[in-house]
Amino acid sequence: MEKQNYKVEKRNIPLIPLRGLSIFPYMVVHFDVGRDKSINALEEAMVNDSLIFLTAQKEADIDVPSTDDFYHVGTVCKIKQLLKLPGDNIRVLVEGINRAKVTEIIMEEPYFEVAIEELIYNEEIIKDKKIEALMRMVIDSFEDYIGIGNRVSAEALVNVSKIEEPGRLADVIASYMFLTLENKQKILEAFHPYKRLETLQVILGEEIEILKLEEKISQRVKKQINKVQKEYYLREQLKAIQYELGEDDELLEEVDNYREKIENIKMPEEVKEKALKEVDRLLKLSPSSAETGVIRTYLDWIVELPWDKETKDRVDIKKSREILDADHYGLDDVKERILEYLAVRKLAKGIKGPILCLVGPPGVGKTSIAKSIAKSLNRKFVRMSLGGVRDEAEIRGHRRTYVGAIPGRIVSSIKKVSSKNPVFLFDEIDKLNSDFRGDPASALLEVLDPEQNNTFTDHFLEAPFDLSKVMFITTANTTASIPGPLLDRMEVIRISGYTEEEKLQIAIRYLLPKQMKEHGLKEENVHISENTIRDIINNYTRESGVRNLERNIANLCRKAAKKIVEDSVNTVRINSGNLNKYLGIPRYRHEKAQEENQVGIATGLAWTTVGGETLSIEVTPMPGTGKLQLTGQLGDVMKESAMAGISYIRSKAAELKIDENFYKEKDIHIHVPEGAIPKDGPSAGITIATAVISALSNIPVNRNVAMTGEITLRGRVLPIGGVKEKVLAANRAGITKVLLPMDNKKDLEEIPDKVRRKMEFVFVKTMDEVLSHALVKEDDNNEN
């Protein structure tokens, strides 16, 4: 008998698991699709008959569901409309047709495809008095549900009352109700109309009981609120009576205190007006109001900011120079710029504070020189690290609408030092980030613009604060990651790093005394010679700054302290002979000049982030077919320089007395030792060309000559960067003669006098000049 009441339809169909959503037959609903599998299933459905099988996920937080993560009973739906949304999402409008159950998972990639069975009941045949009675009970219960909950409109009851089919009645009522996913699934899994109505009636009964409890609780809460309002009204009346009797002196005293402070502070009129308005609001509000605390916090910030407080600058240039020189060795460009500012400050008192950007590698003293600048100017010092800052509110503060809102760190720091003209250091400005919370770099544009920062507005204060007297100093390792508009507002001063001599003086004057003091040692306890410090600089550190040098000196002091305590000695002497006992074997080595003139080996100069280095470029020609092989982990630019050099040599082969067919008959291998270290840049061009010419002509290269410069196809020598570091590397390696591009002659001023006196500098324009100084003539070779 049961078989005559329904028919079974089988089909293969794409499936989409839905998160937090169940769809019933006869239900029209839209939802958004964003997962790749779901989009693929939609596309497959649209290609065929626009039918899709929708079922609910058991856990909504699973992003990539498996076949066990969704229910196997769902609804076959007809896709009515698709709408593409921003972010590759798709909004889908569907209409439920029939419930069905999964009998087999056909495939899981690139979308779920399943075999399903639809059980379609002939509701006219199975409808009898029993079902008719159950339908009336369900409609009555639904009416109670609507009357108690007020969640569903009365029109819904009119709509469902007209439905004749029992199964459809259950589905439509279920679609109107606010049910848990589990209850919805129970109704969906009831295929027989009578079973479905029965399940719905049980759920309706449970929901009505819950709604009655909710209504009871709501009435109790409402009664409590009415009581609170009544108490508030009586409290306000009591307050008015107390005011008339003069008994509310505490609040009046607080308000008068705020008024007096605001009137006495020399702040802009618009700020004063706004602050006084907030004081008036405080008087009108109830003491128990949440906003009272917000207003008090705001007024506290207003009256505690240094609107009219500033330190008096020390304009004694001589004294300021002494302070800067006592704290730092070198860094002449930075010192001169500060002294220039002081000189102008003495002549023109209304000058705005400069905005300096100190750019250089780690450990060269960018942060510490900022502290010395504050000390030399007799100003307060504020430091704010910007590394990793990604929230604009860090700069501008939070608006007062947010709970726990506070001003930004700029205003907070100025309040902390109680001065409107401190030296303000923005550390690591090249490491700012941005995300959905805003762009701090853009917020800094106003702060670091002398034309705008006199009216800097923090979101919390909502009033302009004058930052024009603040001396802003920023530090960065590179300008490459600083946005252009922000970089344009700053005066960039580059600190390239210290020479060996400068590091020696810094160690003797600052680092060694500092570490001895920190480790409780006196001068007579530890003796470290100059040569020992030079060995530490050259063999145990490789850096532009002095951080690792200080760590090694601290290491020596620790070991000396241990020896003094353990062995009961008064003095520990550390020299080049016993340095290995304290610091271990040397960690680094620097290239030295070749011991003799050799064919096919030329000495080049390179710049690195930790200073200059010498490069020994080796070339070996071999019988072959004209192949060019480059090894040593060379970058693209360096490889192109080698190719340009080969092309130049081919064009000048006759003049250079080289076999004109060398590019056909010989393979050339160019190698730069220390192959584990990447190398790149155009400055090795003339060195590579010289080494190739030497190898092909069998003429040695002078071992005492080092060179750097970019080569063109016509043999011109173009300028390069990092001259100071490269020359210092050549001096360290024992090189006596350096070939530099003519256009780099101006850079010679940066090289210390002591180094310039020890070396010979030749400025060249063409490769012919390079070869005349680099290749050894026969007479010179015989002398060597």
Side-chain angles (χ1 to χ4, degrees), residues 249-511:
D249 293 337
E250 187 177 337
L251 178 61
L252 290 173
E253 186 181 344
E254 183 183 17
V255 168
D256 289 341
N257 188 28
Y258 278 129
R259 284 187 193 279
E260 185 182 353
K261 286 181 178 179
I262 292 167
E263 292 293 349
N264 291 336
I265 296 171
K266 292 180 181 177
M267 61 176 69
E269 282 301 319
E270 58 181 305
V271 180
K272 186 174 288 187
E273 186 179 339
K274 182 172 179 59
L276 290 172
K277 280 184 180 178
E278 294 294 327
V279 172
D280 292 338
R281 287 184 63 213
L282 179 63
L283 188 61
K284 294 172 185 175
L285 288 170
S286 165
S288 59
S289 170
E291 198 168 354
T292 303
V294 175
I295 293 174
R296 281 197 177 98
T297 304
Y298 177 79
L299 291 172
D300 287 340
W301 275 98
I302 288 289
V303 297
E304 289 175 16
L305 277 173
W307 300 95
D308 53 356
K309 297 177 185 175
E310 58 182 82
T311 54
K312 188 177 180 181
D313 282 353
R314 181 189 287 113
V315 290
D316 185 343
I317 295 181
K318 186 177 179 182
K319 180 68 175 173
S320 297
R321 186 187 291 275
E322 288 175 3
I323 292 171
L324 291 170
D325 287 341
D327 290 347
H328 286 80
Y329 184 85
L331 302 178
D332 295 331
D333 290 345
V334 185
K335 293 177 183 177
E336 284 302 314
R337 181 63 184 88
I338 300 307
L339 296 175
E340 288 167 6
Y341 167 73
L342 282 177
V344 176
R345 180 83 174 80
K346 191 170 184 178
L347 298 174
K349 295 188 178 180
I351 184 174
K352 295 175 181 176
I355 297 169
L356 308 178
C357 181
L358 309 181
V359 180
V364 295
K366 300 184 293 296
T367 302
S368 58
I369 190 68
K371 291 182 183 177
S372 296
I373 290 169
K375 184 179 173 183
S376 68
L377 294 174
N378 191 36
R379 290 192 180 190
K380 302 284 184 70
F381 177 72
V382 180
R383 175 183 171 273
M384 176 178 171
S385 177
L386 297 176
V389 170
R390 58 181 69 242
D391 190 353
E392 185 185 338
E394 295 274 349
I395 310 297
R396 290 190 179 276
H398 301 85
R399 299 194 185 276
R400 280 191 290 158
T401 51
Y402 297 104
V403 176
I406 57 171
R409 286 168 63 185
I410 293 174
V411 170
S412 301
S413 300
I414 288 176
K415 176 200 165 190
K416 189 176 180 181
V417 296
S418 297
S419 172
K420 64 184 292 187
N421 68 334
V423 172
F424 204 121
L425 175 67
F426 286 121
D427 219 355
E428 309 290 0
I429 198 169
D430 56 328
K431 295 171 182 64
L432 276 172
N433 288 312
S434 63
D435 63 9
F436 64 92
R437 287 169 286 191
D439 183 5
S442 299
L444 279 174
L445 293 177
E446 180 185 4
V447 179
L448 298 181
D449 191 338
E451 300 300 322
Q452 299 179 39
N453 64 11
N454 60 334
T455 57
F456 171 71
T457 303
D458 187 277
H459 286 158
F460 181 85
L461 297 180
E462 294 178 338
F465 188 86
D466 185 6
L467 298 178
S468 63
K469 293 189 177 181
V470 179
M471 174 182 276
F472 287 105
I473 299 176
T474 66
T475 68
N477 297 130
T478 175
T479 57
S481 55
I482 303 176
L486 187 59
L487 185 63
D488 184 56
R489 283 162 166 76
M490 300 184 289
E491 181 181 339
V492 177
I493 299 176
R494 297 190 180 275
I495 304 173
S496 59
Y498 297 115
T499 64
E500 181 184 327
E501 192 62 34
E502 287 172 335
K503 288 182 181 179
L504 176 66
Q505 294 301 323
I506 290 168
I508 293 171
R509 297 186 189 189
Y510 307 102
L511 305 183

Side-chain angles (χ1 to χ4, degrees), residues 145 177-179 183 203-211:
Y145 177 88
M177 292 174 65
F178 294 85
L179 302 175
N183 280 340
I203 292 171
L204 268 168
E206 292 172 353
E207 287 296 314
I208 289 168
E209 288 298 318
I210 292 169
L211 287 173

Side-chain angles (χ1 to χ4, degrees), residues 629-688:
Q629 189 173 5
L630 302 163
T631 56
Q633 208 174 154
L634 310 185
D636 291 339
V637 177
M638 202 166 180
K639 290 177 181 178
E640 289 169 3
S641 295
M643 293 174 188
I646 296 294
S647 297
Y648 164 75
I649 295 167
R650 284 180 59 185
S651 67
K652 297 278 187 178
E655 296 177 29
L656 296 170
K657 298 180 181 178
I658 295 172
D659 181 6
E660 294 185 9
N661 292 321
F662 77 89
Y663 67 93
K664 296 179 183 177
E665 300 170 355
K666 291 183 181 295
D667 291 344
I668 298 175
H669 187 164
I670 300 172
H671 178 67
V672 183
E674 296 189 27
I677 302 172
K679 309 167 191 74
D680 204 2
S683 61
I686 63 172
T687 316
I688 293 172

Side-chain angles (χ1 to χ4, degrees), residues 118-315:
E118 293 178 61
L119 274 66
I120 304 171
Y121 282 83
N122 187 336
E123 299 195 10
E124 292 181 0
I125 295 174
I126 64 172
K127 189 174 180 183
D128 55 19
K129 290 181 180 181
K130 190 178 178 182
I131 287 185
E132 183 71 28
L134 189 53
M135 288 174 67
R136 291 182 184 180
M137 287 175 63
V138 167
I139 293 173
D140 290 340
S141 297
F142 186 53
E143 185 176 2
D144 292 341
Y145 177 88
I146 293 174
I148 298 172
N150 291 323
R151 296 183 179 183
V152 183
S153 68
E155 292 179 7
L157 183 62
V158 177
N159 293 336
V160 300
S161 299
K162 297 175 182 179
I163 298 174
E164 299 287 336
E165 302 87 354
R168 183 171 183 178
L169 177 69
D171 289 338
V172 173
I173 289 177
S175 67
Y176 278 124
M177 292 174 65
F178 294 85
L179 302 175
T180 62
L181 190 64
E182 289 75 17
N183 280 340
K184 286 182 179 181
Q185 194 63 31
K186 284 180 184 177
I187 298 169
L188 202 56
E189 290 179 0
F191 282 80
H192 194 282
Y194 182 86
K195 181 67 175 174
R196 202 178 313 159
L197 283 169
E198 200 173 50
T199 305
L200 178 60
Q201 177 63 18
V202 173
I203 292 171
L204 268 168
E206 292 172 353
E207 287 296 314
I208 289 168
E209 288 298 318
I210 292 169
L211 287 173
K212 284 179 179 178
L213 284 172
E214 286 180 357
E215 180 71 9
K216 189 175 179 181
I217 294 167
S218 176
Q219 289 295 332
R220 191 162 49 226
V221 171
K222 189 176 180 181
K223 189 176 178 181
Q224 185 68 29
I225 290 171
N226 290 337
K227 183 182 175 184
V228 171
Q229 287 176 336
K230 180 182 175 183
E231 288 175 355
Y232 171 73
Y233 177 75
L234 292 173
R235 195 178 291 113
E236 286 298 305
Q237 282 187 324
L238 181 61
K239 194 163 102 177
I241 294 167
Q242 287 175 335
Y243 179 74
E244 292 297 327
L245 295 173
E247 294 177 359
D248 195 19
D249 293 337
E250 187 177 337
L251 178 61
L252 290 173
E253 186 181 344
E254 183 183 17
V255 168
D256 289 341
N257 188 28
Y258 278 129
R259 284 187 193 279
E260 185 182 353
K261 286 181 178 179
I262 292 167
E263 292 293 349
N264 291 336
I265 296 171
K266 292 180 181 177
M267 61 176 69
E269 282 301 319
E270 58 181 305
V271 180
K272 186 174 288 187
E273 186 179 339
K274 182 172 179 59
L276 290 172
K277 280 184 180 178
E278 294 294 327
V279 172
D280 292 338
R281 287 184 63 213
L282 179 63
L283 188 61
K284 294 172 185 175
L285 288 170
S286 165
S288 59
S289 170
E291 198 168 354
T292 303
V294 175
I295 293 174
R296 281 197 177 98
T297 304
Y298 177 79
L299 291 172
D300 287 340
W301 275 98
I302 288 289
V303 297
E304 289 175 16
L305 277 173
W307 300 95
D308 53 356
K309 297 177 185 175
E310 58 182 82
T311 54
K312 188 177 180 181
D313 282 353
R314 181 189 287 113
V315 290

